[in-house]
Amino acid sequence: MSFADLGLCTELLKSVAEQGYEKPSPIQEQAIPAVLGGRDMMAAAHTGTGKTAAFTLPMLQMLSAGKPVSANQARALILTPTRELAAQIADNVALYRKYLNLKSTVVFGGVKAGPQMKKLLPGTDIIVATPGRLLDLYQQNAIKFDELEILVLDEADRMLDMGFIHDIKKILKVLPAKRQNLLFSATFSQDIRQLAKGLVNNPIEISVAAENTTAETVTQYIYGVDKARKAAMLCQLIKDEDWKQVLVFSRTKHGANKLTKILDGQGISAAAIHGNKSQGARTRALADFKFGKTRVLVATDIAARGIDINLLPHVVNFDLPNVSEDYVHRIGRTGRAGSHGEAISLVSADEFDLLKDIERLIKKVIPRKTLAGYEPKQELPESPTTFKPFRAQKAKKHNPRSEHHDGQRGAKPAAQKPTSARRRSAGGQAKQGKDVWASATKNKSQNSSRPRPVSGNR
């Protein structure tokens, strides 16, 4: 099948050919005709499957056949969780619309809002946005949605993980009821299906890959190592194996900064990318890494969302992720488009439970290697050879103080197991709690008939 067989117009076929695309990917084969047919859609597809073109190309064709956009209006809205992904999608839209008389704009936080407001003034056919900045601009009357025809929620699972659900609901309330809705997610979890109930209407469902699987083009292995020696081992591996381009995942912002300094100190050019970095610094770091100026990019999970680099050879898990599904997303950055990639994890003994969860999720034991001189003093236990059914971990609620995400949204630290002393104390507190609850309930009942004050700023 060719792109011409999907019903795309001559202008789009010309743009696609210039990008070197010959055959549509599975998600494009299924999604493009469905979108052109005006259907609402739910699509399960990971980053790297060609999903951006799957919704962008038919969207552009439909918009090109409609009326010109009015001032301050937008005809299509693409919501995405991170700045990097928004910028990447906007770049793709600009390439594909090259031969069409359409306008597109990207808006996200971390930069001044003034220039973005100026670009929105004459109206835009397509706006690519992160939820927070879009709400800010809407509240300042910089953008209106009376003419909106199409809504896309990209990486919906990550938006829920990052705590954007309230922002999304606010945005949905100000959009026209009559519109086409396209939802893209890595998986169709219960949370995603709950969100879809209030979003899509009689949708067509598309799934192009089995959930929580790793590509056969990615070779996975782990090194057991003491936590204190991880950085030294990474430096040694990069030098011994002569790795030229390595994406390294750190669990925390502080850890990413610290590791970057160590790598630079060993003569290995490195840059960190996370939520505490300015948008300009993040953009420069990503560009330097893509074009080989920087050898190592150290990233947190959320900041790495949207990084799409062709033929990326190596991904390293400096820290294992707390959420097992994130392991699949991480190593999916390599081994794309049929190319081969390596995913290496540096695992200390205290991360064994995380390792077991990951292996249970992907239903395989990851092979182990040793590096001479770095044998761990605290031995990494052997993995089980059989796996219990995997139960997906729930996304953690936002905690701005947490260091376990990239500064936009956070995750609560794991709850401590109660000691016997805590249990005894908790018993007394529970009794007190019941008395307080009974009293509060009684007072609430007595006060329920009182008129409530009306806020003047709703």
Side-chain angles (χ1 to χ4, degrees), residues 197-226:
K197 285 182 180 179
L199 176 66
V200 292
N201 178 35
N202 189 27
I204 181 172
E205 289 195 14
I206 297 173
S207 183
V208 296
E211 295 184 0
N212 301 322
T213 57
T214 54
E216 293 181 3
T217 53
V218 180
T219 299
Q220 305 171 61
Y221 53 91
I222 64 175
Y223 283 100
V225 60
D226 293 327

Side-chain angles (χ1 to χ4, degrees), residues 305-322:
R305 205 71 172 185
I307 293 178
D308 190 5
I309 301 168
N310 291 330
L311 306 178
L312 176 65
H314 309 288
V315 169
V316 174
N317 293 298
F318 188 80
D319 304 306
L320 290 183
N322 286 329

Side-chain angles (χ1 to χ4, degrees), residues 168-238:
I168 292 171
K169 287 181 177 180
K170 289 178 183 177
I171 292 168
L172 293 178
K173 286 181 180 179
V174 302
L175 302 183
K178 187 179 179 180
R179 62 178 190 268
Q180 186 176 9
N181 302 287
L182 311 175
L183 184 150
F184 286 78
S185 176
T187 61
F188 290 154
S189 66
Q190 283 299 111
D191 289 338
I192 291 297
R193 291 195 178 278
Q194 188 64 34
L195 171 64
K197 285 182 180 179
L199 176 66
V200 292
N201 178 35
N202 189 27
I204 181 172
E205 289 195 14
I206 297 173
S207 183
V208 296
E211 295 184 0
N212 301 322
T213 57
T214 54
E216 293 181 3
T217 53
V218 180
T219 299
Q220 305 171 61
Y221 53 91
I222 64 175
Y223 283 100
V225 60
D226 293 327
K227 182 176 286 188
R229 304 204 68 196
K230 279 190 178 186
M233 175 184 268
L234 178 59
C235 292
Q236 192 70 45
L237 286 170
I238 292 171

Side-chain angles (χ1 to χ4, degrees), residues 86 103 121 147 241 266 375:
K103 296 177 286 187
L121 187 61
E147 299 178 7
E241 303 293 334
Q266 291 294 312
E375 296 83 357

